[in-house]
Amino acid sequence: MKQALLKFKNLRFVKTIGFNRIVLILIIFLMYGLFTILTPILHNGTNFVNYNRVMSALNYAYFIGFLGLGVTFVIATGGIDFSIGAVMFCSALISGYCLTKFNMPLWLCLFVSIAVGALFGSVGGYFVAYRHLPSFITSMALMQVAKGIGSIFTKTQSVTWPSNSPATSWYRDMVKWNNLPTGFIILCAVAAVCAIVLYKTTAGRYMLCLGSNKEAVRLSGVDTRKWEMLAYILSGTLAGVAAIFYVGAYTTVQPGLGDTFNNEAIAACVMGGTSMVGGSASILGTVIGAIIVALMQEGILAMGFTISYQYVLTGLIVLGAVTADIMSRRRRN
Amino acid sequence: MANRNLKTVMKAVGTQRLVLIGVLIVLFAFFSIASESFRRYTTIITMCSYMYYIMLMAIGVTFPLITGGVDLSIGTGLICYSIVGSFMMRQLGLPIGVAMAITIGMGILIGFLNGVVVAKLELPPFITTLCTMMIVRGLGSILTGGMSGVWPMAGQQGSWFRDLFKYNINGTIYPVGMIIIIVLVAIMSLVLNHTRVGRYIIAIGSNKEALKLSGVNVVRWHIMAYVISGFFAGLAAIAYAGTFSNITPGTGAGLELDAIGGAIIGGTAMTGGSGSIIGTFLGVCLISLLKTGLPYIGLQANWQQIITGTILIGAVTIDMARRRK
Amino acid sequence: MKKALSLFLALAMIVSMSSVAFATDANKTYSFEIVSKGFQSTYWQAVLKGATTERDKINADAGYEKVKFNMVGPDSESDIAVQVNEFESALNAKPNAIGLAALDVNALNDNIAAAQAAGIPIIGFDSGVPNAPKGAVLANASTNNYVAGTVVAENLYAKIKDRIAAATAAVRVGEINQDATSESITNRGLGFIDKFIELATADGYKVAVIGNEKYVNDSKGDKAAEADAKVIIEVRVPAQTTTELCATEAGVVLNETDTIAIFGSNQVAAEGIITANETLNVCGSADTQIIAVGFDSGTVIKAAVTAGTMYGAVTQSPVGIGEKLIDMLLAAASGEAVQDTDTGCAFYTAANIASDAIAPNLYD
């Protein structure tokens, strides 16, 4: 058995994707199977196997996925970004307000959303990279600021994006068109771009280096500050993109929210194999992680449990994933 | 002569804390001048009432911060512990003394778990406590079947615990809770600076390796820092229940920010190795003063969030600049 | 390994599909899914109790398990995404009917349309499903929130009109709303303001409305400028719907020297007022104190009303809503006609809190 496993691990395609990622994909199927068996037993004889079920889980996975992709860059540099949830809502609120109250054209508002995210990312990135503030406290402070700005801009009211006529709601087609998961295609496309940036460009390589050995990079004399700031700009920008997919699925945003989504995006990241200590990140892992998080919520609700169980489970699973990651790193060293 | 006295005072209290005291006085004066309603005695009582649970959390979390870590689970934690305590009293009919013990006990337990994972398994503290935060958030709800919590109110059995924080003599309310807070601040300050526990915790934050090499059981003291944090979260749970009537399950995410922010403004560095309980006390006072005072000058609550966030960044920037010298 | 996995999945599918077959029964069991706004306040526990009691009664009368239901809700009333997921789950459970108290109708639009397409009737409850797509929601068992707001205003005005007449300077009436977005809260808030303006202007006073924009702009009636007004209605909305923030906002209004009355438009806001009052000690029923009025009940509010600290509150009929909901779900699922039911509201004070009319609606 061990021989077969070793042979499997050495296969070319397994090496490119990564053995851990394959395990994660298998976990998705296993979870799906588990929910399919358990749901009828636990909840009134209802079904889990269902196209609608998959679509609804995916709706949740998109914006978590984009948030996760963004925060992957930051975690790769050894930092953390707690502001992504609040920034996402702030972007959605501001761009939504522009749409509904200022009557700006839809495509412009989408740009506004991304721009707001990028702006927050720049501010955070500046303080962390150039002023050497700890990323943890900076992003937490930024989260407060984002919550406040979003609320002030819309005068504490919620914003509802249009969802009726095709003329005004074509942005929803990005999420789902003719019942096809277009959002998934876009997520994969963006993930591919992110992967190229992270693994194949100078910027990405420096980001990873910053995470694994900050001292060495500093001593080498290279000015890495702009690459570190870029990681945060990417995180903010992708939060702005996530905002579009959130409103595409749920249409209404309220000020003052966003905390849970932080945790879930970071959970997706960590489950996917990105190391919390920095230096090693997996874009594909983050996408798979987002799907696992979304599927888990869907399954828990389907089985008739309350959302509290999802919090507990997510916490336990992430703890497990991080422990496993750290243990394996220690063994390798 | 006066100069020497001033210098000794400055050295004793610490420049940063003097600056904080100065800022507090200026802000207080500003609010008092700007708003007539702010100038009343009742405003101070209100501020104190809302400050107790944050202060208790902050005192506790200063310890993990000094070791270079953090404890994010205190916010959702205090909600969870107080809901469980309420459940014990309302559903199981236990007396309030037992409920308080259970509340604090849960805090210690979660703190211990945090400590073991961080100290023994050596997982990064913030992802560990982030996970605990999520687990505890759902746990309270699950244990009590989703019911809100209410601790005994005036006139009911066990309502004496509210008198611990607010004592009513002839119609005037006295914030006796502050006495408890000041006593605790004094005790924990002594613990931090003059006991073995405190010195080791500071050492873990500044030079863990050296401490290990000197043969000390680092793991045990590291765990202790998180147990202290959990213990105070339990106390904060009681204070929260004493201030607010209804405790909603699943909330609490975000309460820890005020506590951690207060500690950092008070001079505890995120990198660890140094910190001050008195500084934490002043930092939380500052945040509470802002929270209480800003609505009086007409600013809506969302401005308050922006201002708090900006001040936090400002405080850390100044702190970093100071350290680099 | 791969073979085992596919076999496993196939087995899973067979098991799940066969379980559906067991649904057909001689005595039909109606299965309902109820998606509420969550269990944030004990109000929803009361709705659950009403539904449970009604279900037990129906089953006892029928002699078998005629009705069963599953009630879910997000942890907080801001968790729109979670409620959408819960509604989807409810839909997928293929119930005979769904009960819904929508947090946000727009977010649920697609799902409601899907329910309609699948032929599953929807009954709205509590605040119901306002602006739902045509024909999807058959009826609502809810409180008319605007009317509830006016009821509070009428009772409050009756209590303080003499004080307004005797006052030499302007007086302030505070209104604490937990948000400016949900249909129930905004309707109650606006109902209160509109009625108060109507009553005060009829007596010749000028009224100004200040504070949160939504309420200032949407309120009707003759509004004056703040400087000219005899009565100033100050509307405050916290940045987030948490207990702490509601209490802080209430505290600010209570601490003003010219405040004579304050209204909290739901359980959380009313409890915030009571919490803020614990340190300020300004509320009561005497003419020198601030008259506080609230909404719903719960242990804290009931105690405050009994003691007189809170002059009174409006109770909805959560138990009644739960009972009517089950009846309407059963009727809809059986193909009978259903109609909107206004489950009513009533103002209670220490005087009538124990009466037969009021007491059954109050909950802990």
Side-chain angles (χ1 to χ4, degrees):
Chain A
M1 183 63 178
K2 248 193 176 150
Q3 281 281 42
L5 199 62
L6 218 62
K7 260 207 190 144
F8 183 69
K9 274 193 185 175
N10 280 327
L11 283 175
R12 193 110 183 270
F13 101 96
V14 174
K15 271 218 165 112
T16 0
I17 303 188
F19 179 67
N20 287 334
R21 264 34 100 210
I22 305 230
V23 171
L24 279 176
I25 298 182
L26 276 178
I27 289 182
I28 293 185
F29 283 111
L30 219 80
M31 279 172 75
Y32 197 82
L34 199 69
F35 290 143
T36 313
I37 301 183
L38 286 178
T39 309
I41 303 176
L42 291 171
H43 188 183
N44 284 352
T46 64
N47 262 334
F48 191 76
V49 186
N50 202 318
Y51 186 65
N52 280 334
R53 200 71 96 168
V54 173
M55 291 302 283
S56 115
L58 280 177
N59 275 349
Y60 200 80
Y62 300 144
F63 73 91
I64 298 275
F66 282 108
L67 287 178
L69 282 175
V71 87
T72 307
F73 285 101
V74 170
I75 296 183
T77 67
I80 184 76
D81 193 349
F82 272 122
S83 62
I84 44 182
V87 169
M88 174 176 95
F89 272 95
C90 186
S91 310
L93 283 167
I94 293 183
S95 51
Y97 200 76
C98 290
L99 184 66
T100 52
K101 288 288 190 314
F102 299 153
N103 285 320
M104 284 164 66
L106 184 55
W107 61 269
L108 187 59
C109 292
L110 296 180
F111 270 113
V112 168
S113 176
I114 301 180
V116 169
L119 188 65
F120 275 105
S122 322
V123 173
Y126 169 74
F127 277 106
V128 174
Y130 286 87
R131 290 267 160 261
H132 306 286
L133 255 53
S135 59
F136 166 63
I137 200 72
T138 313
S139 59
M140 280 200 148
L142 208 60
M143 171 169 83
Q144 296 278 67
V145 175
K147 277 191 195 172
I149 291 185
S151 183
I152 290 176
F153 201 87
T154 64
K155 306 192 171 59
T156 58
Q157 291 182 44
S158 65
V159 168
T160 306
W161 286 60
S163 59
N164 300 324
S165 59
T168 50
S169 49
W170 56 262
Y171 70 97
R172 303 200 72 187
D173 292 336
M174 283 199 273
V175 174
K176 191 160 74 167
W177 185 65
N178 275 352
N179 232 8
L180 287 170
T182 43
F184 189 66
I185 301 174
I186 301 184
L187 181 65
C188 290
V190 173
V193 171
C194 287
I196 296 175
V197 169
L198 189 62
Y199 301 131
K200 300 269 186 246
T201 64
T202 331
R205 274 198 283 263
Y206 274 123
M207 287 182 204
L208 287 165
C209 280
L210 275 168
S212 53
N213 204 335
K214 201 158 187 170
E215 273 310 295
V217 174
R218 205 173 60 86
L219 290 170
S220 75
V222 179
D223 181 13
T224 49
R225 291 180 306 179
K226 55 179 185 275
W227 305 128
E228 195 174 4
M229 182 166 162
L230 185 63
Y232 289 86
I233 297 182
L234 283 171
S235 174
T237 315
L238 283 163
V241 174
I244 300 176
F245 282 82
Y246 181 87
V247 294
Y250 302 109
T251 65
T252 304
V253 274
Q254 276 184 350
L257 297 179
D259 291 332
T260 357
F261 302 135
N262 283 341
N263 300 339
E264 290 176 1
I266 295 177
C269 225
V270 170
M271 273 196 257
T274 303
S275 172
M276 287 307 314
V277 299
S280 145
S282 164
I283 297 287
L284 179 60
T286 303
V287 175
I288 301 177
I291 297 180
I292 293 184
V293 168
L295 189 60
M296 185 159 61
Q297 180 178 81
E298 192 70 29
I300 290 181
L301 290 177
M303 290 195 285
F305 291 117
T306 58
I307 199 75
S308 309
Y309 286 93
Q310 194 225 351
Y311 297 144
V312 177
L313 266 171
T314 313
L316 285 170
I317 292 181
V318 176
L319 210 53
V322 178
T323 314
D325 177 60
I326 296 220
M327 291 301 180
S328 71
R329 255 165 231 284
R330 241 169 255 157
R331 233 181 299 131
R332 243 179 277 155
N333 290 343
Chain B
M1 182 70 171
N3 251 349
R4 229 187 51 180
N5 276 341
L6 188 61
K7 276 221 172 89
T8 32
V9 169
M10 272 180 76
K11 210 170 145 214
V13 180
T15 339
Q16 175 146 11
R17 293 187 265 296
L18 272 178
V19 170
L20 260 181
I21 295 180
V23 172
L24 277 170
I25 296 178
V26 168
L27 257 184
F28 196 83
F30 171 66
F31 287 132
S32 305
I33 298 174
S35 160
E36 194 217 319
S37 314
F38 184 85
R39 288 200 288 268
R40 306 165 75 179
Y41 175 63
T42 41
T43 317
I44 306 205
I45 310 276
T46 314
M47 195 170 93
C48 290
S49 290
Y50 295 151
M51 202 162 58
Y52 296 140
Y53 71 94
I54 303 181
M55 191 67 84
L56 287 167
M57 273 198 286
I59 295 175
V61 87
T62 310
F63 288 84
L65 281 172
I66 292 179
T67 66
V70 72
D71 188 351
L72 294 173
S73 64
I74 49 182
T76 48
L78 79 90
I79 299 281
C80 171
Y81 313 147
S82 64
I83 284 188
V84 171
S86 156
F87 184 77
M88 297 286 155
M89 283 184 282
R90 292 178 88 192
Q91 256 57 45
L92 301 182
L94 296 173
I96 187 168
V98 176
M100 279 207 225
I102 293 181
T103 304
I104 299 179
M106 272 194 81
I108 295 180
L109 180 66
I110 301 290
F112 181 73
L113 286 172
N114 277 331
V116 166
V117 175
V118 170
K120 215 147 183 16
L121 296 177
E122 294 191 349
L123 259 53
F126 77 78
I127 194 74
T128 307
T129 54
L130 188 69
C131 291
T132 335
M133 168 173 146
M134 288 197 268
I135 294 175
V136 162
R137 181 178 184 184
L139 198 62
S141 209
I142 295 177
L143 286 176
T144 63
M147 292 186 60
S148 303
V150 181
W151 280 51
M153 296 182 303
Q156 289 180 333
Q157 177 94 12
S159 64
W160 56 264
F161 91 102
R162 289 182 193 267
D163 290 336
L164 286 174
F165 302 104
K166 271 193 306 250
Y167 202 70
N168 206 327
I169 306 178
N170 281 342
T172 328
I173 302 180
Y174 294 93
V176 287
M178 284 311 279
I179 301 178
I180 301 184
I181 298 283
I182 294 179
V183 168
L184 281 171
V185 167
I187 296 178
M188 293 321 281
S189 199
L190 276 168
V191 165
L192 183 63
N193 296 314
H194 298 288
T195 64
R196 205 162 45 132
V197 179
R199 274 199 283 261
Y200 283 157
I201 289 181
I202 298 179
I204 293 177
S206 51
N207 202 337
K208 196 162 160 198
E209 282 311 307
L211 194 65
K212 236 193 253 185
L213 290 171
S214 71
V216 174
N217 184 349
V218 174
V219 172
R220 185 199 306 171
W221 303 115
H222 203 172
I223 295 181
M224 196 49 153
Y226 287 89
V227 169
I228 294 178
S229 181
F231 169 73
F232 274 92
L235 289 180
I238 299 177
Y240 187 89
T243 312
F244 297 102
S245 359
N246 218 339
I247 307 158
T248 315
T251 52
L255 295 177
E256 69 277 355
L257 288 182
D258 285 338
I260 295 175
I264 292 183
I265 291 179
T268 305
M270 288 236 51
T271 42
S274 81
S276 148
I277 308 291
I278 299 181
T280 302
F281 173 78
L282 292 171
V284 175
C285 282
L286 180 62
I287 292 188
S288 298
L289 183 59
L290 279 171
K291 264 180 133 168
T292 317
L294 287 174
Y296 282 95
I297 58 176
L299 282 185
Q300 302 256 347
N302 30 36
W303 276 105
Q304 191 186 298
Q305 285 172 315
I306 298 183
I307 292 179
T308 317
T310 319
I311 289 189
L312 201 52
I313 294 190
V316 185
T317 316
I318 297 175
D319 190 58
M320 294 249 93
R322 210 168 52 90
R323 270 170 221 285
R324 283 190 160 243
K325 278 191 223 129
Chain C
M1 169 95 149
K2 267 198 193 155
K3 268 206 200 149
L5 200 59
S6 40
L7 191 61
F8 177 72
L9 280 174
L11 261 172
M13 292 190 68
I14 297 177
V15 168
S16 58
M17 280 197 270
S18 57
S19 65
V20 182
F22 285 119
T24 46
D25 231 304
N27 276 331
K28 177 154 180 171
T29 297
Y30 291 88
S31 149
F32 304 130
E33 292 283 326
I34 304 177
V35 181
S36 71
K37 286 186 180 172
F39 296 102
Q40 194 169 37
S41 66
T42 38
Y43 173 89
W44 297 103
Q45 299 277 345
V47 174
L48 178 62
K49 196 166 83 136
T52 312
T53 322
E54 187 67 6
R55 173 201 66 194
D56 292 342
K57 189 163 90 83
I58 293 179
N59 289 347
D61 285 345
Y64 70 96
E65 195 192 20
K66 186 167 180 189
V67 168
K68 61 179 181 176
F69 72 87
N70 180 39
M71 181 158 156
V72 293
D75 257 351
S76 95
E77 296 197 13
S78 341
D79 279 337
I80 298 180
V82 175
Q83 196 194 45
V84 172
N85 275 344
E86 287 176 336
F87 188 82
E88 296 238 14
S89 279
L91 207 55
N92 285 317
K94 298 221 183 350
N96 299 105
I98 299 183
L100 176 63
L103 285 173
D104 187 286
V105 181
N106 276 305
L108 288 166
N109 239 330
D110 288 348
N111 309 84
I112 295 180
Q116 208 176 353
I120 302 179
I122 301 179
I123 302 285
F125 70 104
D126 183 58
S127 50
V129 191
N131 302 323
K134 212 150 171 27
V137 177
L138 297 186
N140 286 303
S142 54
T143 318
N144 186 326
N145 285 303
Y146 188 84
V147 169
T150 63
V151 169
V152 183
E154 283 166 357
N155 281 284
L156 181 64
Y157 191 75
K159 175 82 178 164
I160 61 173
K161 57 194 263 205
D162 293 333
R163 278 174 78 174
I164 302 178
T168 46
V171 291
R172 190 180 302 260
V173 174
E175 178 180 287
I176 311 292
N177 298 305
Q178 87 166 10
D179 63 54
T181 57
S182 72
E183 195 261 346
S184 43
I185 306 289
T186 49
N187 273 340
R188 290 174 206 170
L190 289 170
F192 177 85
I193 299 175
D194 292 348
K195 192 65 177 180
F196 206 91
I197 294 179
E198 186 192 312
L199 292 169
T201 47
D203 276 352
Y205 304 117
K206 290 211 176 120
V207 185
V209 183
I210 62 171
N212 184 278
E213 282 216 14
K214 162 96 183 166
Y215 293 93
V216 171
N217 292 338
D218 287 1
S219 48
K220 302 191 274 255
D222 221 349
K223 289 178 281 191
E226 192 181 344
D228 303 327
K230 182 74 185 288
V231 180
I232 304 174
I233 301 183
E234 181 173 351
V235 183
R236 290 199 153 248
V237 176
Q240 271 173 271
T241 66
T242 62
T243 323
E244 304 93 43
L245 289 175
C246 274
T248 313
E249 297 290 334
V252 175
V253 179
L254 287 175
N255 215 14
E256 310 250 6
T257 39
D258 53 2
T259 308
I260 61 167
I262 187 168
F263 166 48
S265 59
N266 72 336
Q267 188 173 345
V268 175
E271 286 172 355
I273 294 176
I274 296 173
T275 303
N277 187 51
E278 289 201 0
T279 42
L280 298 171
N281 225 353
V282 286
C283 293
S285 305
D287 273 343
T288 47
Q289 295 173 303
I290 297 182
I291 309 296
V293 283
F295 214 89
D296 285 331
S297 55
T299 327
V300 177
I301 296 178
K302 282 201 297 190
V305 172
T306 314
T309 322
M310 183 162 261
Y311 173 60
V314 162
T315 175
Q316 302 180 75
S317 177
V319 174
I321 290 180
E323 289 173 356
K324 293 238 175 37
L325 177 61
I326 296 290
D327 287 340
M328 286 167 79
L329 284 170
L330 190 56
S334 319
E336 295 164 25
V338 276
Q339 280 175 341
D340 282 343
T341 316
D342 182 349
T343 45
C345 62
F347 190 78
Y348 66 96
T349 60
N352 62 353
I353 191 173
S355 71
D356 286 339
I358 301 287
N361 290 319
L362 304 181
Y363 53 86
D364 279 326

